[in-house]
Amino acid sequence: MRAIRPLVLPSAALAAAIAPAPAAQTDDFGVFIQIYDISYAEVIERMPDIFAAGYEGVWWPPNGKASLGSIGYDPFDRFDLGSPGDPTLFGTEAGFRAAVEQFQRANVNFYLDAVLNHNGARSARDSAGAIEEGAWPGFFLPPDDVSLGFKPSGSASQNWFDFNNASGFGADAPGFNETINSDLVGLVDFRHTSNYQMIRHPTDDSVPEFDFTVDGEGDRGVDAGWPFDTMGNPLPDARRIPAGTVFNQPDPGNAALYTDRNLAPTIVVNPDTIDPVNGGIRNTGGTFTIYPFNTDDPAAGDPIMENATGVLLRWSQWMLDVYGIDGFRLDAAKHAPEFFWDTFWDAFVFNRRTNPDGTMGTPYTFGESTLGNFEVLRDYIRIDGFGFRDTLDLAGAGRIRTIIGGRGGDFAAALDDELLDANDESIMGTGPGTINASAGTKHIHSHDNGTFGDGGSPPNFPSLSTISGYGHAFMTFLPGPRIIYHNARQFHTTFTNRFWVREGNSLALGYGGITDDGGTNLRIVEDDRFVELVRLDRRYGRGDYIRRWEDLTGSGATSDVFIYERSNNVVVAVNDSYTNNEHHTRSITTNFAAGTRLHELTGNALPGDELLIVGASGSLTITVPSNQRDGVTDDFGYVVYGPATPSGTLTIVTDSPDQVIPADPPFVGTPTQTTPVFDRRVTPVTVVRDDTFTIRLETTKTDPDDPNWDDAAAFRFNRGYVDLNGNGFVDIGAGAGDVSGYEDFTETVQPIFGTANETGLYEQTITTADLPEGMNYLSAVAFRHRDAAEDILFGEWRESIYVDVLPPQLQISAPLATCGDTSAILVLENPDFTADELHVYVNLDPGITDPPVSAVTRATAIDFGRFQKDVSGLVSGTNEIAVLAIERFDGVEVSRRLARFDLTIGDGFGDADSNTVINTEDLYGTLAAINDFLSMGFGAYRCELDFNGDGLLTDDDLPGAINLIRADEPQNNLP
């Protein structure tokens, strides 16, 4: 067994003065989608819609085992990601891995919700029976012993070891009534200061259990820093967590949950964290030796002794090292002590994210903290060159919701771009007319504060005015990360007695249900207004934020209009009025040059206002429509103006006949609240079967009177950073913002700008061997001509392409079958996840290449990429197993291919002398076995030597034996 070493948390004396800065993230934030209540399988099928919308990040709910039907905020076992027959709400570990891979393939960064403050309900695991089972996997809660001060079952006032005790249940339980050391809504709270050292996920039962009933290893009634003696000296031998009847038992598979101490570690020097509000040291740092997880050989992990905090740090590193996620949302961040984040957690995630270009960087994280903004800045944000930890702008989001709900309010307060003061309503405020884009992750709705619902029952669909077009327009173009929340509603009524996440933006992917303002009169509609905002942000959302107009009266009351500019790129104007035809006209000054032609980009402009010309000194007059026109409430009270970007078409050119997997048909019938809109894909998918294909981008003059047409174009597949045009390097490297990792068109390059061309043409041949099989995601951009000092603006086209050139990867295995077995259970693996359906045939006629399929031949899908089939009709010796793999995407068949495998029945077929080597000696053994069989009868029959499978050992079996030996020993001169 590998050496077991303790993890001891460093003291303040270990703080270091200087730490290396993490590599910068090589991609811009863009707009995230928070998508909840959907399975891994369903979200993968909706990935073309997520990609087409232009989302660049996803906030995913907690992924570990929790209560039945739970969304995951009451963790039970973080390291159990679900398995066949025992999934989480979302699926299995393989499904999680596949979903992360697909999100990232679509260039959508994956941010996982991390619950590091608490486990599930205290009352759920405080009974004597639950404690005997092992209570919380990986965490220490021993059986009751009142004499030693242990927690009696059913009471919360005694020692809870890894957890804070409490004299009652619920938020800020009586007896503590403070944030850090109390339960949050009855969820058992970690005591991050505890230091009970033991192996939390044991692999070997030869390591003795920690003995918590005998003196000599520390004072059992208090936290003495076990396993240290009363003098503070470490004990020489390792101890593992006491095993319960069900949990915390030794399992060799637990090695995969540990880092490999034989691999080279990283020495991380975490500097002191400085209080950004008051100055001075907020928390001390430290020096950490951090080993990596062995992703090539997970069984090489080395169990270590650690405390509860060590388990949480190990899980966080595990998610980054093993599953390659891009960052975290930190649940209940204010309820964990500041030192946990500053001193320890930041060190264990430092420089552990793999950037799209292959370099390493520190993952972006954003926490949940409902403290006042001064407190959030002072205590929980750390963006200092070592930490990359922000918080959700909860106060700003609440202010926007207040404006939406009241149909009027102060937009500037939602940004707090006034002077920073004690009444800040957003943590982004830095001074008059400006905001700090590096602080405050922006959003409007979430699973806790949505458009509809209270968490106690399934929410209804929202109204358009509750979602708010002008609210989303206001938020979408702001700098920094922004989030649009979407409740997919797959599990909407599946489970009872659960926490129901609130409804969000039901149209975040362009299709969903809406109601009137009273939550009635449900309509299932296609409406891409919110998707279009995300796409426009991709094209225009760059440059400094500058507030250009806010309606204020002399008394300080607020009115309807707010306007801001992303300098010289785009102007966003919103109107919260629902008074019929109360359109507002405002004159502003911008950074656009006089004469710049600005087009309204959403289609919301009043007739005649589709094009505006910038006047002298950047002057501009904008009319912002009301949300009600001519008696019809349309919720289009916003306009977005920017220069024309190239338009045109993107075509995939192949030699094979085109196949397009069409969008799913819309819902037809009488809609109800349970209409499964989560499962309708609205984006078609192109299938490519050739070894090469061509992407062809044809551009046109969007505005013939604007001379700044396209002067260049580029493309990217998936996350980019692959030399797909064969020039030996990636053309647009890291640090180029929204076009980092793109490739130039090199074969046909015919821009409009600077030429006599009326249209532009860009072409590039792509070799499919350079792309993964299955889904691929293509973005092509054509750049508006601009001066070198100006930000890029571009038109963008997106295509989802299914590459089907190679057969699915297949591996087949079966339990060892002995001679005479006629049946076996086959396990079939599909590592590239492209096979949707497998059919299995035993000893199929070689001439059959397209066998019939039926329920009898179909293998059972037991997990992502894993199938199982009971087969019969096997014979001793070599059998041929034919597997028909059918590839489907979203239920539509793409292709089917037949593969054949050999399956040998018998232990060492042909090994007559049972020495595991096939050679000429086995020929004599075969002859001897034949003679014995003929003279002694069936008692001497050896099926591994029955080469012709007739149930007899005769001279007819000799040719088979000779051929087998000749194949293994060709140097022998056999007849």
Side-chain angles (χ1 to χ4, degrees):
M1 186 178 68
R2 293 175 178 267
I4 300 170
R5 301 176 176 88
L7 171 66
V8 180
L9 300 182
S11 67
L14 294 176
I18 300 175
Q25 287 211 152
T26 58
D27 51 325
D28 279 3
F29 286 112
V31 181
F32 303 173
I33 183 170
Q34 180 190 3
I35 185 166
Y36 272 34
D37 254 21
I38 191 169
S39 67
Y40 299 133
E42 286 289 346
V43 83
I44 287 172
E45 292 188 352
R46 294 299 302 275
M47 203 63 68
D49 293 339
I50 296 172
F51 173 72
Y55 290 107
E56 297 184 67
V58 61
W59 166 6
W60 191 266
N63 63 338
K65 191 63 66 68
S67 302
L68 177 65
S70 168
I71 198 169
Y73 289 99
D74 53 346
F76 176 69
D77 187 351
R78 287 165 183 75
F79 289 91
D80 185 349
L81 306 185
S83 57
D86 188 22
T88 67
L89 180 67
F90 314 108
T92 64
E93 184 271 344
F96 173 69
R97 191 183 294 273
V100 172
E101 194 275 338
Q102 278 296 310
F103 271 113
Q104 292 179 339
R105 193 184 290 191
N107 201 44
V108 180
N109 292 326
F110 193 96
Y111 298 93
L112 178 67
D113 211 312
V115 184
L116 304 179
N117 171 72
H118 56 263
N119 272 350
R122 182 185 294 263
S123 58
R125 304 299 294 169
D126 73 333
S127 68
I131 294 172
E132 281 295 320
E133 288 180 346
W136 305 100
F139 295 99
F140 183 49
L141 188 62
D144 304 346
D145 191 327
V146 178
S147 65
L148 295 176
F150 293 171
K151 183 209 75 66
S153 60
S155 169
S157 62
Q158 300 295 322
N159 188 358
W160 276 71
F161 298 88
D162 284 347
F163 308 97
N164 286 304
N165 64 2
S167 60
F169 301 142
D172 294 331
F176 278 100
N177 195 31
E178 58 90 24
T179 301
I180 299 298
N181 297 317
S182 183
D183 286 359
L184 175 67
V185 292
L187 303 171
V188 65
D189 188 74
F190 288 124
R191 182 152 59 106
H192 293 86
T193 56
S194 70
N195 196 24
Y196 302 116
Q197 296 276 335
M198 60 191 72
I199 299 169
R200 302 305 185 112
H201 291 92
T203 60
D204 189 342
D205 59 11
S206 68
V207 177
E209 290 185 350
F210 180 77
D211 185 351
F212 52 87
T213 62
V214 179
D215 286 338
E217 293 179 352
D219 182 350
R220 294 296 171 249
V222 299
D223 175 0
W226 302 337
F228 301 97
D229 63 23
T230 55
M231 300 301 294
N233 300 310
L235 296 170
D237 52 343
R239 291 289 186 269
R240 60 183 165 94
I241 193 169
T245 58
V246 180
F247 308 110
N248 293 327
Q249 295 190 348
D251 180 354
N254 283 341
L257 308 182
Y258 286 97
T259 59
D260 185 350
R261 301 271 159 152
N262 285 334
L263 298 178
T266 301
I267 307 301
V268 175
V269 181
N270 183 1
D272 296 341
T273 305
I274 305 303
D275 180 344
V277 174
N278 301 311
I281 295 175
R282 184 168 80 186
N283 282 292
T284 57
T287 299
F288 298 82
T289 301
I290 301 178
Y291 290 85
F293 284 86
N294 191 330
T295 55
D296 294 326
D297 183 12
D302 297 303
I304 60 171
M305 293 193 294
E306 60 193 344
N307 56 26
T309 291
V311 176
L312 301 175
L313 298 174
R314 175 161 53 91
W315 175 86
S316 302
Q317 183 187 344
W318 188 57
M319 282 292 117
L320 292 164
D321 284 13
V322 175
Y323 296 96
I325 68 170
D326 295 288
F328 299 92
R329 182 264 190 181
L330 305 174
D331 181 69
K334 76 168 185 178
H335 295 279
E338 299 164 32
F339 76 81
F340 170 73
W341 305 112
D342 287 344
T343 303
F344 301 112
W345 195 81
D346 286 345
F348 273 76
V349 302
F350 173 77
N351 223 29
R352 302 210 80 87
R353 183 227 183 186
T354 302
N355 293 322
D357 66 348
T359 62
M360 301 304 294
T362 295
Y364 173 76
T365 59
F366 53 102
E368 175 198 28
S369 177
T370 55
L371 296 169
N373 291 314
F374 270 137
E375 294 173 288
V376 170
L377 283 167
R378 183 190 66 202
D379 298 338
Y380 290 101
I381 288 178
R382 185 185 186 186
I383 304 175
D384 61 357
F386 184 88
F388 200 6
R389 182 161 42 84
D390 194 9
T391 68
L392 287 164
D393 186 10
L394 297 177
R399 183 64 182 179
I400 299 177
R401 291 195 301 273
T402 298
I403 295 172
I404 294 170
R407 296 194 172 184
D410 183 357
F411 278 97
L415 286 177
D416 198 13
D417 62 356
E418 301 297 331
L419 287 173
L420 195 67
D421 58 38
N423 297 315
D424 287 331
E425 292 176 291
S426 168
I427 56 178
M428 296 183 291
T430 58
T434 66
I435 60 173
N436 177 7
S438 66
T441 299
K442 292 156 278 292
H443 65 297
I444 301 176
H445 304 111
S446 73
H447 63 289
D448 284 325
N449 295 285
T451 55
F452 213 110
D454 59 7
S457 60
N460 200 353
F461 282 104
S463 65
L464 274 172
S465 60
T466 304
I467 300 172
S468 182
Y470 67 82
H472 277 80
F474 168 77
M475 185 269 294
T476 299
F477 293 89
L478 293 173
R482 292 133 289 151
I483 301 170
I484 294 178
Y485 168 54
H486 179 60
N487 180 348
R489 303 167 70 95
Q490 181 178 350
F491 312 118
H492 189 62
T493 56
T494 304
F495 297 95
T496 59
N497 300 320
R498 58 166 281 190
F499 165 79
W500 276 274
V501 296
R502 275 62 164 180
E503 181 53 58
N505 184 335
S506 57
L507 300 176
L509 293 176
Y511 175 78
I514 58 172
T515 62
D516 58 28
D517 285 341
T520 59
N521 189 27
L522 174 64
R523 300 177 298 284
I524 306 299
V525 300
E526 291 193 45
D527 189 320
D528 66 353
R529 71 180 71 188
F530 302 101
V531 167
E532 188 58 28
L533 288 173
V534 178
R535 292 170 179 159
L536 288 173
D537 173 72
R538 279 270 308 157
R539 293 162 52 195
Y540 289 91
R542 285 169 284 280
D544 292 337
Y545 162 89
I546 307 171
R547 174 163 55 95
R548 292 303 187 187
W549 186 275
E550 180 192 14
D551 278 0
L552 288 173
T553 67
S555 63
T558 59
S559 188
D560 297 320
V561 173
F562 188 86
I563 304 173
Y564 67 88
E565 177 185 355
R566 296 296 299 276
S567 181
N568 197 33
N569 293 324
V570 68
V571 175
V572 179
V574 299
N575 180 359
D576 60 30
S577 172
Y578 279 82
T579 301
N580 188 45
N581 291 332
E582 189 176 59
H583 315 307
H584 291 292
T585 300
R586 302 290 184 267
S587 295
I588 63 173
T589 299
T590 73
N591 282 350
F592 287 100
T596 303
R597 300 168 64 83
L598 298 180
H599 294 259
E600 206 290 308
L601 305 170
T602 67
N604 294 348
L606 297 176
D609 289 339
E610 295 87 354
L611 174 66
L612 301 180
I613 309 297
V614 178
S617 302
S619 62
L620 190 68
T621 298
I622 296 179
T623 298
V624 194
S626 170
N627 291 284
Q628 185 178 128
R629 306 186 200 190
D630 301 329
V632 177
T633 300
D634 56 17
D635 293 282
F636 281 125
Y638 59 94
V639 286
V640 179
Y641 283 93
T645 57
S647 54
T649 57
L650 177 66
T651 308
I652 307 300
V653 182
T654 64
D655 293 331
S656 300
D658 288 344
Q659 179 185 356
V660 175
I661 302 173
D664 295 332
F667 176 81
V668 176
T670 303
T672 68
Q673 288 188 13
T674 57
T675 300
V677 294
F678 65 86
D679 114 77
R680 188 193 171 206
R681 174 179 46 81
V682 299
T683 304
V685 175
T686 300
V687 179
V688 171
R689 294 191 174 87
D690 297 329
D691 292 336
T692 62
F693 64 96
T694 299
I695 53 177
R696 177 181 295 158
L697 177 61
E698 299 173 89
T699 59
T700 56
K701 296 178 178 179
T702 307
D703 180 353
D705 294 323
D706 186 334
N708 293 305
W709 303 302
D710 58 280
D711 59 6
F715 66 93
R716 181 195 66 204
F717 275 91
N718 305 329
R719 283 197 120 175
Y721 298 98
V722 179
D723 176 23
L724 293 177
N725 60 19
N727 63 359
F729 54 89
V730 175
D731 297 304
I732 305 178
D738 290 296
V739 293
S740 295
Y742 276 67
E743 289 281 271
D744 292 331
F745 286 87
T746 58
E747 292 177 1
T748 302
V749 182
Q750 298 175 3
I752 299 178
F753 180 82
T755 71
N757 299 331
E758 287 298 316
T759 59
L761 179 63
Y762 305 86
E763 293 179 311
Q764 190 69 49
T765 299
I766 303 297
T767 302
T768 50
D770 294 332
L771 301 175
E773 283 283 304
M775 285 300 308
N776 288 265
Y777 303 93
L778 167 64
S779 163
V781 296
F783 298 98
R784 171 185 170 88
H785 173 72
R786 302 199 98 187
D787 295 337
E790 295 181 295
D791 294 317
I792 58 171
L793 296 180
F794 53 76
E796 183 175 25
W797 297 259
R798 291 188 162 213
E799 290 284 340
S800 293
I801 299 171
Y802 192 99
V803 172
D804 180 40
V805 176
L806 302 174
Q809 298 174 11
L810 291 177
Q811 300 168 1
I812 186 170
S813 61
L816 186 64
T818 60
C819 302
D821 285 347
T822 60
S823 63
I825 300 175
L826 306 182
V827 176
L828 303 108
E829 306 278 356
N830 172 225
D832 63 2
F833 301 130
T834 56
D836 183 75
E837 187 176 314
L838 297 181
H839 292 263
V840 180
Y841 311 85
V842 175
N843 297 319
L844 183 69
D845 188 311
I848 297 177
T849 58
D850 187 17
V853 300
S854 68
V856 175
T857 61
R858 184 169 182 168
T860 301
I862 58 176
D863 202 353
F864 267 80
R866 175 175 255 199
F867 301 79
Q868 183 173 298
K869 185 71 173 77
D870 296 348
V871 295
S872 58
L874 299 171
V875 299
S876 298
T878 301
N879 295 265
E880 185 182 76
I881 305 298
V883 180
L884 180 66
I886 300 178
E887 291 189 46
R888 288 193 176 93
F889 183 78
D890 199 11
V892 177
E893 183 169 324
V894 176
S895 66
R896 56 177 64 194
R897 294 182 176 91
L898 189 69
R900 297 176 183 264
F901 302 85
D902 285 340
L903 176 65
T904 299
I905 298 299
D907 186 4
F909 189 69
D911 185 11
D913 56 9
S914 300
N915 67 350
T916 72
V917 177
I918 306 296
N919 55 30
T920 52
E921 296 299 320
D922 294 298
L923 181 59
Y924 303 116
T926 303
L927 287 168
I930 291 171
N931 289 331
D932 288 344
F933 179 74
L934 294 176
S935 62
M936 298 174 60
F938 283 91
Y941 174 71
R942 297 179 60 187
C943 64
E944 74 270 21
L945 304 179
D946 184 5
F947 286 90
N948 63 6
D950 63 0
L952 302 172
L953 294 181
T954 67
D955 291 345
D956 292 337
D957 295 301
L958 287 177
I962 292 170
N963 289 336
L964 179 65
I965 295 166
R966 179 184 286 120
D968 279 85
E969 290 199 348
Q971 72 277 14
N972 290 317
N973 295 318
L974 298 174

